[in-house]
Amino acid sequence: MFAHVDINNCYVSCETLFQPYLKGRVVVVLSNNDGCVIARSNEAKAIGIKMADAEFIVRKNLAEHHAAIFSSNYALYADMSARMMNNLARYTYMLMVYSIDEAFMALGNMAGINLETHADMISRNVMHDTGLSITLGIGPTLSLAKLANKAAKKHGKAVLVLDTKEKIDNETKTFPIEDVWGVGQAYYQKLQEFQIQTAEDFRQMDPDFVRQHMTVQGWRLHQELWGIPCNVIKDIAERSKGIESSQSFNTYQTELEKIEEATAMHAATIAVKLRQQNSMAMLLTIYLRTNKHNVKHDQHYPSITVKVPFAANSTQELTKICVQALRAIWQPGYNYLKTGIRATGIIPAGEVQYNLFKDYDNTKQQKLSGIIDEINARYGRGALRVAAEGYQKSWAMKQEFLSRQYTTNWNDIIVTK
């Protein structure tokens, strides 16, 4: 058996956990640059606030309901997520972190154990240890566990167990096919051609027909909805094939120096992510964007892909390469709103190919990167960084409603009397 666990209204829950007087009120969390709504309390959903609503469009509605508005505080959310995952790990021999707010747990053979009681115990303990409310769905496959989780929310339950054929049949009869895990827009459109409306309709399709029209992925999903496991839990995170870091500026940028600082910051972010997964990048794409929605401005969307001489993951090397590439594509006279870097050609750190005819000693860079990571882990992200990133960062994204970093910053820890 498998369990799918997620934090209810994750970002909103993290905010209200440290400001409990907000519970029961309209609360929303905004995306980077406070652009649009990315998390809502149940009360915000009730007044018609939808995901991805632009902040300026729903501003009046939020004001009329005295809503609490927050900028994205990813440092807080990531830390609370880690606490929840560590807590879940106590109850399984294999945990797969699927995203910041959800995970799959392998439960193994639970013969003789009341699964609902077991799930209730996990839910209570997570609430006790982290303060976060979670929902658990349990089923014989990952797809049915995920379906059970969504169905539990629809029924207003904290736990739903699909451990018998009767329970699975009853739930799939009315479960919308578009809400089934793995059914994206393309699959949904295809299934509409065959008048498939529910998970049960899909289950009744001929497996060979499904494989012919929906490839092996659709066939696996079909098997999983019948309780036949085709997907497995992976306890080791797969190495990313591409890493991107980008960010919109809080206002238009026309000075190369400011954009260089942002580019250096993105290069440093990518270098850290590469080191965390013990890999190196061979290709770097640097790009700039103006605001395509502003018809009064001239538009410019340059990009350049450069090959790293030797696959690298050191902050110094990547920063130097990216800043030089930026200077090659930047042109004066444009109002740039966004810059970013995409690293591809990612290989394991131990598989770097060196050139017989060129000397290259990476030992010093690796030692320096290790020291930077160690200091930043101890004193906080950015405590030690390359000078090219700048200090004031007047271009940084807008975060007018940012809450405190209650669990990751000594200055923001709540003081009790």
Side-chain angles (χ1 to χ4, degrees), residues 239-240 243 270-282 310-314 317 344-354 360-363 365-367 369 373:
R239 180 178 287 108
S240 299
I243 299 175
I270 287 177
V272 169
K273 290 182 178 179
L274 286 169
R275 294 197 291 271
Q276 287 174 341
Q277 64 175 30
N278 195 29
S279 60
M280 295 188 174
M282 300 173 66
F310 294 96
N313 63 8
S314 88
E317 288 180 287
T344 52
I346 294 174
I347 61 173
E351 297 180 10
V352 178
Q353 288 191 345
Y354 296 101
Y360 179 70
D361 185 3
N362 191 38
T363 307
Q365 292 291 344
Q366 290 299 305
K367 284 184 177 179
S369 295
D373 292 343

Side-chain angles (χ1 to χ4, degrees), residues 95-351:
L95 177 78
M96 181 172 75
V97 178
Y98 189 66
S99 67
I100 192 170
D101 68 333
E102 59 183 321
F104 287 98
M105 302 167 63
L107 300 180
N109 184 4
M110 303 293 286
I113 295 178
N114 186 309
L115 287 173
E116 291 200 13
T117 302
H118 184 69
D120 280 334
M121 180 268 295
I122 294 174
S123 178
R124 286 197 308 273
N125 286 348
V126 170
M127 169 60 80
H128 177 271
D129 295 342
T130 68
L132 296 172
S133 169
I134 62 173
T135 299
L136 290 97
I138 295 178
T141 66
L142 299 188
S143 298
L144 283 173
K146 179 94 171 177
L147 186 149
N149 187 303
K150 285 192 174 183
K153 287 187 170 67
K154 292 178 187 291
H155 300 319
K157 296 181 176 179
V159 171
L160 181 63
V161 179
L162 301 180
D163 56 349
T164 66
K165 181 179 181 302
E166 290 72 22
K167 290 180 182 177
I168 295 172
D169 291 347
N170 287 336
E171 208 56 60
T172 54
K173 280 179 184 175
T174 57
F175 197 86
I177 187 62
E178 63 268 32
D179 288 345
V180 173
W181 183 42
V183 177
Q185 190 61 28
Y187 275 173
Y188 178 66
Q189 294 296 336
K190 176 68 71 177
L191 292 171
Q192 290 302 291
E193 296 175 10
F194 302 106
Q195 299 182 331
I196 303 300
Q197 302 296 328
T198 67
E200 183 61 27
D201 292 340
F202 181 62
R203 291 209 309 166
Q204 295 305 323
M205 295 180 76
D206 180 77
D208 293 334
F209 185 84
V210 171
R211 187 162 194 162
Q212 180 181 355
H213 290 84
M214 297 179 63
T215 71
V216 69
Q217 295 298 329
W219 177 81
R220 286 176 180 168
L221 174 59
H222 186 268
Q223 296 291 294
E224 288 236 322
L225 291 180
W226 278 108
I228 304 170
C230 292
N231 297 315
V232 297
I233 286 184
K234 301 171 183 174
D235 60 344
I236 300 175
E238 292 185 347
R239 180 178 287 108
S240 299
K241 297 178 181 177
I243 299 175
E244 182 160 348
S245 178
S246 65
Q247 176 186 310
S248 297
F249 302 121
N250 59 4
T251 185
Y252 295 118
Q253 296 296 326
T254 58
E255 298 179 26
L256 177 60
E257 181 183 355
K258 301 298 182 186
I259 302 175
E260 283 182 350
E261 290 182 0
T263 301
M265 182 196 72
H266 293 312
T269 299
I270 287 177
V272 169
K273 290 182 178 179
L274 286 169
R275 294 197 291 271
Q276 287 174 341
Q277 64 175 30
N278 195 29
S279 60
M280 295 188 174
M282 300 173 66
L283 297 170
L284 296 168
T285 300
I286 298 88
Y287 60 86
L288 284 167
R289 298 286 184 270
T290 50
N291 184 0
K292 64 180 180 182
H293 301 293
N294 192 332
V295 296
K296 296 179 180 178
H297 291 173
D298 294 332
Q299 300 299 315
H300 193 219
Y301 314 116
S303 69
I304 185 172
T305 299
V306 294
K307 188 175 186 306
V308 182
F310 294 96
N313 63 8
S314 88
T315 301
Q316 297 73 28
E317 288 180 287
L318 297 191
T319 300
K320 182 179 179 181
I321 293 169
C322 291
V323 170
Q324 287 178 343
L326 170 71
R327 291 171 181 169
I329 61 173
W330 178 83
Q331 290 188 22
Y334 290 101
N335 297 305
Y336 293 108
L337 190 60
K338 183 177 182 178
T339 185
I341 301 173
R342 188 181 308 114
T344 52
I346 294 174
I347 61 173
E351 297 180 10

